[in-house]
Amino acid sequence: MNTKRNTFIIILVLISTILLILITAKTPQGTYGDAAWQMKAVQQYLAGQSPSINHVVMPDVKDLSQDSAGWIYWWPPGPQFLVYPLMASGVALGDAVRITVILLIFSGSLGWILWFLSFRLPNWVVITLAIALPWMHSVSTHLFLYSADIITYALAPWVLLAAYHLGEAWVRRQNFSKKILAVSALFGFSMGLLYLFKYSTILVSLGALVYLGCKAFHGKKLKSDLVMISFILAVVFFIIPVISYSLLNNKFGNIMNPVMARLDINSRWENFLFVLANPSLAIADANSMCSYIFLHPEHGLALNFPLLPEVLQGSLLLGFIGLPGGIFLLWLLLRQADSKNREPLALTVFFTVLTAMLATWLFSSEGAAYDARFLASASIAVLPVAIQKGYRSWHNGRVAMRWVLAVMAISYVVIPLMYGVISVIGKVMMTPNYRLGPSHIYDPGFARVDLLGVRDRLLQDFSSDTDIWYFSSPVTALSFSQRAIFRDADFDSLDELKQDKFISSSPLHVHALLLPRFESNGKGQTIRDSFVQAGKWEKTQIDGCNYILWTTTLNNLPNRQ
């Protein structure tokens, strides 16, 4: 092991991460809608409005004059756990999220570079990866818009490193003791706890356990009762937190997890397309780059081709873009296996996650989202394996093979990594001088440049005693502490919005913030119609606000029994 080289590489990745943080320091912190629900739960808990950091409180649909607490089962509570200590100490939500993201980027970048250093890669490759990793779009984007995916990036490499060293400890079992048994149990329990932070992260843990199981039961050097007991302990303690939280979900949310909520057979051919294509789109986040180029709602290239076949529209286009790279990656990974280093672990985790995602798609009534991000960590795990084998094929292959290798590497790794750097610089330059509200959350969908001013203007005509809000985005709800109904209406379908029927037993004034485009797609009228006791709606445009304010009074109150 070249200690000086490794130290230099570690310092390099830390410097690159620090540079990224400094460049983005003045940009305000935003969040995706999924995480906003969870952040709202923390806000409400700290304000004494919610029974736990995993309950969201809203006016009860059956009686808007009363509140109802709903358990968040669709996402695990990891994001709440991470920001709660900071928020409880008085740090504003946006600042708490930014600090959390910074720590997670440091953790992931350091962990992944240690993983890469365990492979025999050329110095220039490792140096390039050390510089580029923190800037990769799937990583750096969280300094602008936070999502729980950064948690997987931060934890996955440490799962791999821990699994490898535990397996090696089993190999060196001459001094096998109760300590190894305890370490194996602790490893399994820690892997199971990841389920509480991000559901998809558990797939990496599962892959690590499959690898350890192969070593315990099939390794020629490891046929030992103590080794098998260690593995069984790891599995049992892995299951404990997973089952425990699933039962908690079932108790408070009546659903064990999102997959179980829609369990059914789904044999769509797209399942097989994306299981082949997504690894190449995720390995350096070519998925985000291609989505921006081809599918951006304002300037996507696919919009300029109205006669494009249906099979090449939307996310399917991304699938076909990633398909050549995905097939080539699989071919490369299955060549000339090397069982003497960490390659077996990387491949086991990769194919376990791939199989698990395919099973999720096949046995889900609606099909889980075909997002490449679910395979990001497993794909990054095999990146050094692909580089090793590609490097070997380059030196031993013919000219045609070199051309194929160059095209694949440039298309799916080099250009996406460059896009990550360019996107950071572009976002920093394009982000306006923004006046934040008390939550310190950037919400350009709500206010153009002065969130605090727009918020103050809206609150002038709002009474906490007699009024409630309706927000069409959970992100906007983070800037208000009053009673509010909030939906992700921009992403909810018209049929989903039609399911809402709001009734109140007491007079209430409703203040609804709706996007202008809702008037053309039918969502605006649908939302207003959901308040079945509403009188005449009044429309108001607020300067600097991207929503239209609609207000009404709920009358025709039901007779009290």
Side-chain angles (χ1 to χ4, degrees):
M1 178 182 293
N2 190 329
T3 305
K4 290 184 177 180
R5 167 185 176 260
N6 290 357
T7 302
F8 170 74
I9 296 299
I10 290 171
I11 293 174
L12 194 61
V13 75
L14 294 178
I15 291 174
S16 181
T17 304
I18 292 171
L19 181 61
L20 170 67
I21 292 166
L22 291 175
I23 288 177
T24 58
K26 291 186 177 181
T27 57
Q29 181 68 52
T31 180
Y32 282 101
D34 290 357
W37 290 85
Q38 298 169 288
M39 298 302 104
K40 187 63 180 177
V42 180
Q43 283 184 329
Q44 291 180 334
Y45 178 73
L46 291 172
Q49 301 169 345
S50 173
S52 79
I53 61 172
N54 205 50
H55 281 91
V56 169
V57 174
M58 284 190 275
D60 194 325
V61 173
K62 297 178 181 179
D63 185 357
L64 296 179
S65 65
Q66 304 296 320
D67 286 334
S68 175
W71 178 262
I72 302 174
Y73 70 87
W74 208 253
W75 308 284
Q80 296 101 296
F81 292 152
L82 293 174
V83 301
Y84 174 75
L86 290 167
M87 293 180 64
S89 64
V91 179
L93 171 59
D95 300 332
V97 171
R98 174 58 64 90
I99 293 170
T100 300
V101 169
I102 288 173
L103 293 176
L104 292 173
I105 291 177
F106 268 115
S107 172
S109 299
L110 179 60
W112 282 116
I113 208 63
L114 289 174
W115 174 251
F116 293 157
L117 285 171
S118 64
F119 291 82
R120 295 187 294 272
L121 300 176
N123 287 337
W124 69 270
V125 171
V126 183
I127 290 172
T128 302
L129 290 174
I131 296 172
L133 259 180
W135 297 77
M136 190 162 58
H137 185 272
S138 59
V139 179
S140 60
T141 190
H142 294 90
L143 289 166
F144 304 93
L145 285 173
Y146 169 72
S147 82
D149 292 323
I150 190 63
I151 299 176
T152 305
Y153 172 81
L155 298 179
W158 301 104
V159 172
L160 298 172
L161 293 166
Y164 178 78
H165 287 294
L166 179 59
E168 291 304 296
W170 290 354
V171 172
R172 299 187 301 271
R173 69 183 193 282
Q174 291 83 1
N175 297 320
F176 209 94
S177 65
K178 293 181 179 179
K179 181 179 179 181
I180 295 297
L181 294 175
V183 169
S184 300
L186 179 61
F187 171 82
F189 189 72
S190 300
M191 296 303 99
L193 281 178
L194 298 186
Y195 187 72
L196 277 68
F197 286 87
K198 186 79 165 66
Y199 288 141
S200 58
T201 306
I202 202 70
L203 301 182
V204 179
S205 300
L206 183 62
L209 285 174
V210 172
Y211 165 77
L212 291 173
C214 292
K215 290 186 76 71
F217 291 95
H218 297 289
K220 294 181 180 180
K221 298 180 180 180
L222 292 179
K223 290 184 178 179
S224 161
D225 290 342
L226 287 175
V227 171
M228 292 183 182
I229 292 173
S230 294
F231 173 70
I232 293 172
L233 277 174
V235 172
V236 170
F237 277 85
F238 166 80
I239 292 173
I240 289 174
V242 175
I243 294 298
S244 298
Y245 187 69
S246 297
L247 293 175
L248 199 63
N249 266 346
N250 194 59
K251 178 180 179 180
F252 291 106
N254 298 320
I255 295 294
M256 296 188 72
N257 57 58
V259 175
M260 296 297 294
R262 51 191 184 188
L263 198 61
D264 201 353
I265 300 297
N266 174 32
S267 56
R268 297 169 59 186
W269 64 268
E270 291 94 331
N271 297 332
F272 302 95
L273 168 66
F274 285 101
V275 82
L276 291 173
N278 279 354
S280 65
L281 295 173
I283 203 165
D285 201 15
N287 186 79
S288 294
M289 179 186 71
C290 292
S291 295
Y292 182 80
I293 294 173
F294 295 103
L295 303 181
H296 193 280
E298 295 180 4
H299 52 68
L301 294 182
L303 301 179
N304 297 323
F305 298 95
L307 298 180
L308 198 67
E310 184 177 351
V311 75
L312 292 179
Q313 293 180 5
S315 61
L316 285 177
L317 177 60
L318 299 181
F320 284 106
I321 290 174
L323 187 60
I327 293 174
F328 183 77
L329 177 62
L330 291 176
W331 174 81
L332 200 60
L333 293 176
L334 294 173
R335 297 187 70 208
Q336 303 172 348
D338 183 357
S339 60
K340 295 182 180 180
N341 58 21
R342 289 165 172 78
E343 181 179 321
L345 172 57
L347 293 179
T348 301
V349 169
F350 177 76
F351 284 108
T352 299
V353 174
L354 211 61
T355 302
M357 282 308 306
L358 178 60
T360 301
W361 293 331
L362 286 172
F363 297 104
S364 176
S365 60
E366 300 174 11
Y370 292 120
D371 293 352
R373 59 192 173 90
F374 295 131
L375 294 174
S377 292
S379 300
I380 297 173
V382 295
L383 178 58
V385 179
I387 292 173
Q388 275 186 343
K389 296 190 175 186
Y391 204 76
R392 193 179 304 133
S393 298
W394 177 275
H395 287 286
N396 300 333
R398 298 180 180 180
V399 175
M401 174 55 67
R402 292 186 175 186
W403 272 105
V404 173
L405 284 166
V407 170
M408 292 297 171
I410 292 172
S411 300
Y412 295 102
V413 179
V414 177
I415 294 178
L417 289 177
M418 293 173 61
Y419 170 75
V421 178
I422 294 170
S423 68
V424 168
I425 297 172
K427 289 174 184 176
V428 170
M429 294 177 63
M430 293 171 60
T431 302
N433 185 17
Y434 200 83
R435 191 180 180 206
L436 298 170
S439 68
H440 287 197
I441 285 290
Y442 178 56
D443 187 5
F446 170 32
R448 298 185 187 99
V449 293
D450 184 9
L451 190 151
L452 182 61
V454 172
R455 177 182 179 275
D456 289 345
R457 170 64 184 85
L458 288 168
L459 288 174
Q460 288 177 4
D461 301 320
F462 187 93
S463 171
S464 297
D465 296 329
T466 59
D467 299 3
I468 62 169
W469 293 105
Y470 181 99
F471 298 123
S472 52
S473 167
V475 179
T476 302
L478 296 175
S479 295
F480 295 83
S481 60
Q482 297 79 21
R483 299 180 68 235
I485 303 165
F486 45 95
R487 299 286 187 265
D488 213 344
D490 204 18
F491 295 94
D492 290 341
S493 68
L494 203 58
D495 288 337
E496 289 173 321
L497 293 174
K498 287 180 179 179
Q499 294 176 11
D500 282 333
K501 295 298 178 184
F502 302 114
I503 298 174
S504 176
S505 62
S506 301
L508 284 176
H509 302 295
V510 179
H511 299 242
L513 292 177
L514 307 180
L515 290 169
R517 61 174 171 269
F518 284 3
E519 302 313 305
S520 59
N521 61 21
K523 290 185 176 181
Q525 190 61 50
T526 297
I527 291 171
R528 292 191 291 275
D529 288 344
S530 65
F531 293 90
V532 296
Q533 300 162 272
K536 181 181 179 181
W537 286 89
E538 295 184 3
K539 175 182 176 182
T540 306
Q541 182 67 56
I542 306 296
D543 289 341
C545 182
N546 289 321
Y547 292 117
I548 295 175
L549 174 64
W550 294 85
T551 56
T552 190
T553 300
L554 302 186
N555 46 38
N556 299 322
L557 303 180
N559 294 325
R560 296 182 182 272
Q561 298 296 326

